[in-house]
Short mmCIF file of all heavy atoms in Angstrom, two decimals:
data_model
loop_
_atom_site.label_atom_id
_atom_site.label_comp_id
_atom_site.label_asym_id
_atom_site.label_seq_id
_atom_site.Cartn_x
_atom_site.Cartn_y
_atom_site.Cartn_z
N MET A 45 -7.19 9.30 27.76
CA MET A 45 -5.73 9.23 27.86
C MET A 45 -5.32 8.84 29.28
O MET A 45 -4.47 8.02 29.48
CB MET A 45 -5.16 10.61 27.49
CG MET A 45 -3.67 10.58 27.22
SD MET A 45 -3.27 9.66 25.71
CE MET A 45 -1.53 9.39 25.97
N PHE A 46 -6.00 9.47 30.26
CA PHE A 46 -5.65 9.20 31.66
C PHE A 46 -5.90 7.73 32.02
O PHE A 46 -5.07 7.10 32.66
CB PHE A 46 -6.47 10.12 32.56
CG PHE A 46 -6.28 9.83 34.03
CD1 PHE A 46 -5.10 10.15 34.65
CD2 PHE A 46 -7.29 9.23 34.76
CE1 PHE A 46 -4.90 9.88 35.99
CE2 PHE A 46 -7.11 8.95 36.11
CZ PHE A 46 -5.92 9.27 36.72
N LEU A 47 -7.06 7.21 31.56
CA LEU A 47 -7.39 5.82 31.85
C LEU A 47 -6.37 4.88 31.23
O LEU A 47 -5.98 3.89 31.84
CB LEU A 47 -8.80 5.49 31.31
CG LEU A 47 -9.95 5.95 32.21
CD1 LEU A 47 -11.28 5.66 31.52
CD2 LEU A 47 -9.90 5.25 33.56
N PHE A 48 -5.93 5.20 30.03
CA PHE A 48 -4.94 4.36 29.36
C PHE A 48 -3.64 4.33 30.16
O PHE A 48 -3.02 3.29 30.33
CB PHE A 48 -4.68 4.90 27.95
CG PHE A 48 -3.72 4.05 27.16
CD1 PHE A 48 -4.07 2.76 26.78
CD2 PHE A 48 -2.46 4.54 26.81
CE1 PHE A 48 -3.18 1.97 26.06
CE2 PHE A 48 -1.58 3.75 26.10
CZ PHE A 48 -1.94 2.47 25.71
N ARG A 49 -3.27 5.49 30.69
CA ARG A 49 -2.04 5.57 31.48
C ARG A 49 -2.17 4.70 32.74
O ARG A 49 -1.26 3.96 33.11
CB ARG A 49 -1.79 7.03 31.86
CG ARG A 49 -0.33 7.35 32.00
CD ARG A 49 -0.14 8.84 32.23
NE ARG A 49 -0.15 9.60 30.98
CZ ARG A 49 -0.18 10.92 30.94
NH1 ARG A 49 -0.24 11.62 32.05
NH2 ARG A 49 -0.18 11.53 29.78
N VAL A 50 -3.32 4.82 33.41
CA VAL A 50 -3.57 4.02 34.62
C VAL A 50 -3.57 2.54 34.30
O VAL A 50 -2.99 1.72 35.02
CB VAL A 50 -4.92 4.43 35.26
CG1 VAL A 50 -5.30 3.46 36.37
CG2 VAL A 50 -4.83 5.86 35.78
N TRP A 51 -4.19 2.18 33.17
CA TRP A 51 -4.25 0.77 32.76
C TRP A 51 -2.85 0.23 32.51
O TRP A 51 -2.51 -0.88 32.91
CB TRP A 51 -5.09 0.66 31.47
CG TRP A 51 -5.31 -0.73 31.01
CD1 TRP A 51 -6.16 -1.64 31.56
CD2 TRP A 51 -4.65 -1.40 29.94
NE1 TRP A 51 -6.08 -2.83 30.87
CE2 TRP A 51 -5.15 -2.70 29.87
CE3 TRP A 51 -3.68 -1.00 29.01
CZ2 TRP A 51 -4.73 -3.63 28.93
CZ3 TRP A 51 -3.24 -1.91 28.07
CH2 TRP A 51 -3.76 -3.21 28.03
N LYS A 52 -1.99 1.06 31.85
CA LYS A 52 -0.62 0.63 31.60
C LYS A 52 0.13 0.42 32.92
O LYS A 52 0.89 -0.54 33.07
CB LYS A 52 0.12 1.67 30.74
CG LYS A 52 0.04 1.32 29.27
CD LYS A 52 0.91 2.10 28.31
CE LYS A 52 1.72 3.22 28.85
NZ LYS A 52 2.38 3.99 27.77
N LEU A 53 -0.11 1.31 33.87
CA LEU A 53 0.52 1.16 35.19
C LEU A 53 0.08 -0.14 35.86
O LEU A 53 0.89 -0.87 36.43
CB LEU A 53 0.14 2.35 36.08
CG LEU A 53 1.10 3.54 36.07
CD1 LEU A 53 0.51 4.68 36.89
CD2 LEU A 53 2.47 3.16 36.60
N LEU A 54 -1.23 -0.42 35.80
CA LEU A 54 -1.75 -1.64 36.43
C LEU A 54 -1.17 -2.88 35.77
O LEU A 54 -0.78 -3.83 36.45
CB LEU A 54 -3.28 -1.67 36.31
CG LEU A 54 -4.03 -0.79 37.30
CD1 LEU A 54 -5.51 -0.79 36.99
CD2 LEU A 54 -3.79 -1.25 38.73
N VAL A 55 -1.07 -2.86 34.43
CA VAL A 55 -0.51 -4.01 33.72
C VAL A 55 0.95 -4.21 34.10
O VAL A 55 1.40 -5.31 34.36
CB VAL A 55 -0.67 -3.82 32.19
CG1 VAL A 55 0.15 -4.86 31.44
CG2 VAL A 55 -2.14 -3.92 31.80
N ALA A 56 1.70 -3.10 34.15
CA ALA A 56 3.11 -3.19 34.53
C ALA A 56 3.25 -3.72 35.96
O ALA A 56 4.11 -4.55 36.26
CB ALA A 56 3.76 -1.81 34.42
N PHE A 57 2.37 -3.25 36.86
CA PHE A 57 2.40 -3.69 38.25
C PHE A 57 2.10 -5.19 38.35
O PHE A 57 2.80 -5.94 39.04
CB PHE A 57 1.36 -2.89 39.05
CG PHE A 57 1.36 -3.21 40.51
CD1 PHE A 57 2.44 -2.89 41.30
CD2 PHE A 57 0.26 -3.82 41.09
CE1 PHE A 57 2.44 -3.19 42.66
CE2 PHE A 57 0.25 -4.12 42.44
CZ PHE A 57 1.34 -3.79 43.22
N ALA A 58 1.06 -5.64 37.61
CA ALA A 58 0.69 -7.06 37.63
C ALA A 58 1.83 -7.91 37.07
O ALA A 58 2.17 -8.95 37.61
CB ALA A 58 -0.58 -7.28 36.83
N ALA A 59 2.43 -7.44 35.97
CA ALA A 59 3.54 -8.19 35.36
C ALA A 59 4.71 -8.27 36.35
O ALA A 59 5.35 -9.30 36.48
CB ALA A 59 3.97 -7.51 34.07
N GLY A 60 4.96 -7.18 37.07
CA GLY A 60 6.03 -7.18 38.07
C GLY A 60 5.75 -8.18 39.18
O GLY A 60 6.64 -8.92 39.60
N LEU A 61 4.50 -8.23 39.64
CA LEU A 61 4.13 -9.17 40.69
C LEU A 61 4.31 -10.61 40.23
O LEU A 61 4.87 -11.44 40.94
CB LEU A 61 2.67 -8.96 41.10
CG LEU A 61 2.40 -7.83 42.09
CD1 LEU A 61 0.92 -7.76 42.40
CD2 LEU A 61 3.19 -8.05 43.38
N VAL A 62 3.85 -10.88 38.99
CA VAL A 62 3.98 -12.24 38.45
C VAL A 62 5.45 -12.61 38.32
O VAL A 62 5.87 -13.71 38.66
CB VAL A 62 3.26 -12.34 37.09
CG1 VAL A 62 3.59 -13.66 36.40
CG2 VAL A 62 1.75 -12.23 37.30
N GLY A 63 6.25 -11.65 37.84
CA GLY A 63 7.69 -11.89 37.70
C GLY A 63 8.34 -12.18 39.05
O GLY A 63 9.15 -13.10 39.17
N GLU A 64 7.98 -11.39 40.04
CA GLU A 64 8.54 -11.60 41.38
C GLU A 64 8.15 -12.97 41.92
O GLU A 64 8.99 -13.70 42.46
CB GLU A 64 8.02 -10.52 42.33
CG GLU A 64 8.65 -9.17 42.11
CD GLU A 64 10.07 -9.10 42.65
OE1 GLU A 64 10.30 -9.59 43.76
OE2 GLU A 64 10.94 -8.58 41.94
N ALA A 65 6.87 -13.34 41.78
CA ALA A 65 6.39 -14.63 42.28
C ALA A 65 7.10 -15.77 41.56
O ALA A 65 7.53 -16.75 42.18
CB ALA A 65 4.88 -14.74 42.09
N THR A 66 7.25 -15.64 40.24
CA THR A 66 7.92 -16.69 39.46
C THR A 66 9.37 -16.82 39.91
O THR A 66 9.87 -17.93 40.12
CB THR A 66 7.86 -16.34 37.96
OG1 THR A 66 6.51 -16.16 37.59
CG2 THR A 66 8.45 -17.45 37.13
N ALA A 67 10.04 -15.69 40.08
CA ALA A 67 11.44 -15.72 40.51
C ALA A 67 11.56 -16.34 41.90
O ALA A 67 12.47 -17.14 42.16
CB ALA A 67 12.02 -14.29 40.52
N ALA A 68 10.62 -16.01 42.79
CA ALA A 68 10.66 -16.56 44.16
C ALA A 68 10.46 -18.07 44.12
O ALA A 68 11.18 -18.82 44.79
CB ALA A 68 9.58 -15.90 45.01
N TRP A 69 9.45 -18.53 43.35
CA TRP A 69 9.19 -19.97 43.27
C TRP A 69 10.38 -20.69 42.66
O TRP A 69 10.77 -21.77 43.12
CB TRP A 69 7.94 -20.25 42.44
CG TRP A 69 6.69 -20.18 43.26
CD1 TRP A 69 5.70 -19.26 43.15
CD2 TRP A 69 6.31 -21.07 44.32
NE1 TRP A 69 4.73 -19.52 44.09
CE2 TRP A 69 5.07 -20.62 44.83
CE3 TRP A 69 6.89 -22.20 44.90
CZ2 TRP A 69 4.41 -21.25 45.87
CZ3 TRP A 69 6.25 -22.83 45.94
CH2 TRP A 69 5.03 -22.37 46.42
N PHE A 70 10.96 -20.09 41.59
CA PHE A 70 12.11 -20.71 40.93
C PHE A 70 13.28 -20.82 41.91
O PHE A 70 13.91 -21.86 42.04
CB PHE A 70 12.52 -19.88 39.71
CG PHE A 70 13.64 -20.48 38.92
CD1 PHE A 70 13.42 -21.63 38.19
CD2 PHE A 70 14.90 -19.90 38.91
CE1 PHE A 70 14.45 -22.21 37.45
CE2 PHE A 70 15.92 -20.46 38.18
CZ PHE A 70 15.70 -21.61 37.44
N GLY A 71 13.52 -19.75 42.66
CA GLY A 71 14.62 -19.76 43.63
C GLY A 71 14.39 -20.80 44.72
O GLY A 71 15.30 -21.54 45.08
N LEU A 72 13.16 -20.88 45.23
CA LEU A 72 12.85 -21.86 46.27
C LEU A 72 13.01 -23.28 45.74
O LEU A 72 13.58 -24.15 46.42
CB LEU A 72 11.41 -21.67 46.76
CG LEU A 72 11.23 -20.63 47.85
CD1 LEU A 72 9.75 -20.43 48.14
CD2 LEU A 72 11.96 -21.04 49.12
N THR A 73 12.53 -23.52 44.51
CA THR A 73 12.63 -24.86 43.92
C THR A 73 14.09 -25.27 43.77
O THR A 73 14.48 -26.38 44.13
CB THR A 73 11.93 -24.88 42.55
OG1 THR A 73 10.60 -24.41 42.72
CG2 THR A 73 11.90 -26.27 41.98
N VAL A 74 14.90 -24.36 43.23
CA VAL A 74 16.33 -24.66 43.05
C VAL A 74 16.98 -24.89 44.42
O VAL A 74 17.77 -25.83 44.59
CB VAL A 74 17.02 -23.50 42.31
CG1 VAL A 74 18.53 -23.65 42.34
CG2 VAL A 74 16.53 -23.45 40.87
N PHE A 75 16.65 -24.04 45.40
CA PHE A 75 17.24 -24.16 46.73
C PHE A 75 16.94 -25.52 47.36
O PHE A 75 17.83 -26.22 47.83
CB PHE A 75 16.70 -23.03 47.62
CG PHE A 75 17.16 -23.14 49.05
CD1 PHE A 75 18.47 -22.85 49.39
CD2 PHE A 75 16.27 -23.52 50.03
CE1 PHE A 75 18.89 -22.96 50.70
CE2 PHE A 75 16.69 -23.61 51.35
CZ PHE A 75 17.99 -23.33 51.69
N PHE A 76 15.65 -25.91 47.33
CA PHE A 76 15.28 -27.19 47.93
C PHE A 76 15.85 -28.36 47.13
O PHE A 76 16.23 -29.38 47.70
CB PHE A 76 13.75 -27.30 48.03
CG PHE A 76 13.21 -26.59 49.25
CD1 PHE A 76 12.40 -25.48 49.10
CD2 PHE A 76 13.54 -27.02 50.51
CE1 PHE A 76 11.91 -24.81 50.22
CE2 PHE A 76 13.06 -26.37 51.64
CZ PHE A 76 12.24 -25.25 51.48
N GLY A 77 15.91 -28.21 45.80
CA GLY A 77 16.49 -29.27 44.97
C GLY A 77 17.96 -29.49 45.33
O GLY A 77 18.40 -30.63 45.51
N VAL A 78 18.70 -28.40 45.45
CA VAL A 78 20.12 -28.51 45.82
C VAL A 78 20.26 -29.08 47.23
O VAL A 78 21.10 -29.93 47.50
CB VAL A 78 20.79 -27.12 45.72
CG1 VAL A 78 22.18 -27.14 46.35
CG2 VAL A 78 20.88 -26.70 44.25
N LEU A 79 19.41 -28.61 48.14
CA LEU A 79 19.46 -29.06 49.53
C LEU A 79 19.21 -30.57 49.62
O LEU A 79 20.01 -31.30 50.20
CB LEU A 79 18.41 -28.30 50.35
CG LEU A 79 18.50 -28.45 51.87
CD1 LEU A 79 19.74 -27.75 52.39
CD2 LEU A 79 17.26 -27.85 52.50
N ILE A 80 18.12 -31.03 49.02
CA ILE A 80 17.77 -32.45 49.08
C ILE A 80 18.81 -33.27 48.33
O ILE A 80 19.24 -34.33 48.80
CB ILE A 80 16.35 -32.66 48.50
CG1 ILE A 80 15.32 -32.01 49.43
CG2 ILE A 80 16.05 -34.14 48.32
CD1 ILE A 80 13.94 -31.88 48.82
N GLY A 81 19.24 -32.79 47.17
CA GLY A 81 20.27 -33.51 46.40
C GLY A 81 21.56 -33.61 47.20
O GLY A 81 22.20 -34.67 47.24
N GLY A 82 21.94 -32.53 47.86
CA GLY A 82 23.17 -32.55 48.66
C GLY A 82 23.07 -33.53 49.81
O GLY A 82 24.01 -34.25 50.12
N ILE A 83 21.91 -33.59 50.46
CA ILE A 83 21.72 -34.51 51.59
C ILE A 83 21.80 -35.95 51.09
O ILE A 83 22.44 -36.81 51.72
CB ILE A 83 20.37 -34.23 52.28
CG1 ILE A 83 20.45 -32.89 53.04
CG2 ILE A 83 20.01 -35.36 53.24
CD1 ILE A 83 19.11 -32.43 53.56
N MET A 84 21.15 -36.24 49.96
CA MET A 84 21.16 -37.60 49.43
C MET A 84 22.57 -38.02 49.04
O MET A 84 23.02 -39.12 49.37
CB MET A 84 20.22 -37.69 48.22
CG MET A 84 18.74 -37.67 48.62
SD MET A 84 17.66 -37.58 47.20
CE MET A 84 17.81 -39.24 46.57
N VAL A 85 23.29 -37.14 48.34
CA VAL A 85 24.66 -37.46 47.94
C VAL A 85 25.54 -37.62 49.18
O VAL A 85 26.36 -38.53 49.26
CB VAL A 85 25.22 -36.35 47.02
CG1 VAL A 85 26.72 -36.53 46.79
CG2 VAL A 85 24.48 -36.38 45.68
N GLY A 86 25.34 -36.75 50.16
CA GLY A 86 26.12 -36.84 51.39
C GLY A 86 25.87 -38.16 52.10
O GLY A 86 26.81 -38.80 52.59
N ASN A 87 24.63 -38.62 52.15
CA ASN A 87 24.31 -39.90 52.79
C ASN A 87 24.98 -41.05 52.06
O ASN A 87 25.51 -41.97 52.68
CB ASN A 87 22.79 -40.12 52.80
CG ASN A 87 22.13 -39.36 53.95
OD1 ASN A 87 22.81 -38.89 54.86
ND2 ASN A 87 20.83 -39.20 53.87
N LYS A 88 24.97 -41.01 50.73
CA LYS A 88 25.61 -42.08 49.94
C LYS A 88 27.11 -42.12 50.24
O LYS A 88 27.68 -43.19 50.47
CB LYS A 88 25.40 -41.82 48.44
CG LYS A 88 24.06 -42.33 47.96
CD LYS A 88 23.93 -42.13 46.45
CE LYS A 88 22.53 -42.51 45.98
NZ LYS A 88 22.32 -42.16 44.58
N ILE A 89 27.75 -40.94 50.26
CA ILE A 89 29.21 -40.89 50.51
C ILE A 89 29.50 -41.38 51.92
O ILE A 89 30.44 -42.17 52.15
CB ILE A 89 29.71 -39.47 50.29
CG1 ILE A 89 29.64 -39.11 48.81
CG2 ILE A 89 31.14 -39.30 50.81
CD1 ILE A 89 29.87 -37.65 48.50
N LEU A 90 28.68 -40.98 52.89
CA LEU A 90 28.91 -41.39 54.27
C LEU A 90 28.75 -42.91 54.41
O LEU A 90 29.55 -43.58 55.08
CB LEU A 90 27.91 -40.69 55.21
CG LEU A 90 28.28 -39.26 55.61
CD1 LEU A 90 27.17 -38.62 56.41
CD2 LEU A 90 29.58 -39.22 56.40
N ARG A 91 27.71 -43.46 53.79
CA ARG A 91 27.48 -44.91 53.87
C ARG A 91 28.65 -45.68 53.24
O ARG A 91 29.06 -46.69 53.75
CB ARG A 91 26.17 -45.28 53.15
CG ARG A 91 24.96 -44.92 54.01
CD ARG A 91 23.70 -45.66 53.54
NE ARG A 91 22.53 -45.12 54.22
CZ ARG A 91 21.49 -44.59 53.60
NH1 ARG A 91 21.45 -44.53 52.30
NH2 ARG A 91 20.48 -44.13 54.29
N ARG A 92 29.14 -45.15 52.12
CA ARG A 92 30.23 -45.82 51.43
C ARG A 92 31.48 -45.81 52.30
O ARG A 92 32.20 -46.80 52.40
CB ARG A 92 30.51 -45.09 50.10
CG ARG A 92 31.26 -45.95 49.11
CD ARG A 92 31.29 -45.31 47.73
NE ARG A 92 29.96 -45.29 47.12
CZ ARG A 92 29.62 -44.54 46.08
NH1 ARG A 92 30.51 -43.72 45.57
NH2 ARG A 92 28.40 -44.60 45.59
N ASN A 93 31.74 -44.68 52.97
CA ASN A 93 32.95 -44.57 53.80
C ASN A 93 32.82 -45.39 55.07
O ASN A 93 33.79 -45.92 55.57
CB ASN A 93 33.20 -43.11 54.14
CG ASN A 93 33.74 -42.33 52.96
OD1 ASN A 93 34.16 -42.92 51.96
ND2 ASN A 93 33.75 -41.02 53.06
N LEU A 94 31.60 -45.48 55.61
CA LEU A 94 31.40 -46.24 56.83
C LEU A 94 31.31 -47.73 56.46
O LEU A 94 31.71 -48.58 57.18
CB LEU A 94 30.11 -45.81 57.53
CG LEU A 94 30.16 -44.41 58.17
CD1 LEU A 94 28.78 -44.00 58.66
CD2 LEU A 94 31.14 -44.38 59.34
#
């Protein structure tokens, strides 16, 4: 019983780590996508106005 409890804790911990890593990667990807997209759009608008 004790081993099963420990195993469940380890699985929950691993799942939490994977979830955190996935969320971090997703956030970074979205952040850089918005950043690069914003810079590209900004350059187009600036070129058009100049």
Side-chain angles (χ1 to χ4, degrees):
M45 194 68 197
F46 175 71
L47 280 176
F48 183 67
R49 210 174 277 170
V50 170
W51 184 76
K52 266 190 356 187
L53 268 174
L54 282 174
V55 169
F57 183 66
L61 278 181
V62 170
E64 286 285 316
T66 304
W69 274 113
F70 184 70
L72 275 174
T73 306
V74 169
F75 175 73
F76 278 114
V78 169
L79 191 69
I80 292 167
I83 289 171
M84 286 173 74
V85 170
N87 280 346
K88 277 184 185 172
I89 291 169
L90 279 174
R91 283 198 190 122
R92 199 169 292 164
N93 285 347
L94 289 172

